[in-house]
Amino acid sequence: MVIGANCSHWQAAINWGQMAAADAKFVIVRAGSIDNLTGVCYTDHNWEANSIEAPKHLPMGSYWYFRPKYSGVVQGQYFAALLKDKELKLPAYIDVEVGEVSQDVARTRIQSFLNTVQEATGKKPGIYTSASKWNVIVGNVPWAAQYELWVAHYTTAIKPYIPWGWTDYTLWQYTSKGPGATYGVSSASIDLNRFNGTEDQFKEHYGLSHAASIEERLSGLEAWARTMGYSG
C-alpha cells in the first residue's frame, strides 16, 4: 500500500525525516486560500517552510482551498505564484469543499482556476473533493475526468464513493486520524491518503526516477532520533 500525508499549518512543526521513516511515500502541502469575508488571498502560515523542507524527503504536491464565491482567475494566479520555483512531483490540486454560489457559477470559476494554474505552471492540476461535496457544488460535468481525482471519503470500505464525472480515483484520503507522532507532526492527528496502485505504478504515474533508499530512510530516522535526545 502506498501511503502519503497531507498537511498545513494545523500540523505545526514537522519532522520530515520522521515522516519519511514512517514509510510515507508522498506529501501534499497546503499553499493557501482566500478569506471568506474579505476576498483577499493569503498564504498558509507554514507554506514557505514546508515547501522548502518537504521535497528534501518526499515527493511533494500542493493544494489550494478554493472558494467559488470569488474569482477563479485571481485565486489561480495567486496559487501559481506560490508554486513558482517549488519542487512539485505531484500535481497542484484545487480543494473543492464549499459552494455558496450556483452550480453554473461554481463550474465557471473552478474551470477558470484550473485553466489559470495550468497556463501558469505548464502542468495539469488535479481536483480534491468528495462525492458529497462535488455532486452538490458542481454536479455532473464532462470535463471533470480530464483531471486527476484526489477523493476524500473516511470509511473502512475497500473503495471510496466516487464523485460524478469520474469512474475511479488516483489518490484517496481515507482518514483524518492518522497518528501524528508516528508521522513526525506536532498535531495529534494527520490526514492520510492511499495511491490507487502499487509503488511501482506510483513512481511511473508521477515520473519518479528515484525512490529513497534504505540508507536514506535510516538517515531520516537517525535524524529524528537525535531530535528526541537518543544517541547510540
Side-chain angles (χ1 to χ4, degrees):
M1 188 180 298
V2 182
I3 301 295
N6 60 278
C7 62
S8 69
H9 66 279
W10 293 111
Q11 276 63 58
I14 299 176
N15 185 315
W16 296 104
Q18 167 61 11
M19 186 178 288
D23 214 28
K25 296 296 192 296
F26 62 92
V27 66
I28 306 175
V29 178
R30 183 178 185 263
S33 184
I34 189 167
D35 188 89
N36 190 40
L37 297 178
T38 66
V40 175
C41 294
Y42 64 88
T43 306
D44 185 276
H45 303 317
N46 287 14
W47 164 249
E48 194 58 33
N50 287 344
S51 63
I52 291 171
E53 294 302 318
K56 297 177 182 178
H57 301 270
L58 294 165
M60 182 182 77
S62 182
Y63 71 97
W64 175 270
Y65 190 93
F66 185 76
R67 294 190 181 277
K69 66 189 288 186
Y70 296 113
S71 167
V73 173
V74 169
Q75 293 182 75
Q77 289 173 338
Y78 193 98
F79 185 32
L82 293 179
L83 298 176
K84 187 177 181 181
D85 299 325
K86 299 301 182 182
E87 189 180 346
L88 259 63
K89 299 297 186 182
L90 275 67
Y93 299 89
I94 181 174
D95 179 347
V96 179
E97 298 184 55
V98 294
E100 302 179 319
V101 296
S102 69
Q103 282 192 342
D104 284 343
V105 171
R107 291 170 178 176
T108 297
R109 291 180 176 169
I110 288 168
Q111 283 188 287
S112 294
F113 178 96
L114 293 166
N115 291 336
T116 299
V117 172
Q118 184 166 349
E119 289 170 6
T121 64
K123 297 180 180 179
K124 185 178 284 293
I127 297 175
Y128 166 91
T129 192
S130 65
S132 61
K133 301 290 188 182
W134 183 267
N135 294 354
V136 173
I137 297 167
V138 181
N140 198 352
V141 291
W143 47 263
Q146 299 174 30
Y147 300 95
E148 175 172 310
L149 174 63
W150 172 22
V151 66
H153 184 195
Y154 305 153
T155 177
T156 57
I158 61 172
K159 187 175 180 180
Y161 290 147
I162 303 299
W164 292 337
W166 288 274
T167 58
D168 211 347
Y169 69 94
T170 301
L171 298 177
W172 170 16
Q173 186 184 82
Y174 65 93
T175 184
S176 61
K177 297 181 179 179
T182 299
Y183 287 90
V185 301
S186 301
S187 58
S189 59
I190 188 170
D191 296 339
L192 295 179
N193 310 272
R194 297 174 182 168
F195 173 74
N196 189 10
T198 66
E199 187 168 358
D200 284 344
Q201 289 170 329
F202 170 78
K203 294 174 188 174
E204 181 178 1
H205 180 75
Y206 292 115
L208 304 175
S209 58
H210 172 72
S213 66
I214 293 175
E215 290 77 12
E216 289 169 325
R217 292 188 175 275
L218 285 173
S219 177
L221 184 58
E222 289 167 356
W224 170 79
R226 288 194 293 271
T227 68
M228 300 297 291
Y230 300 117
S231 61

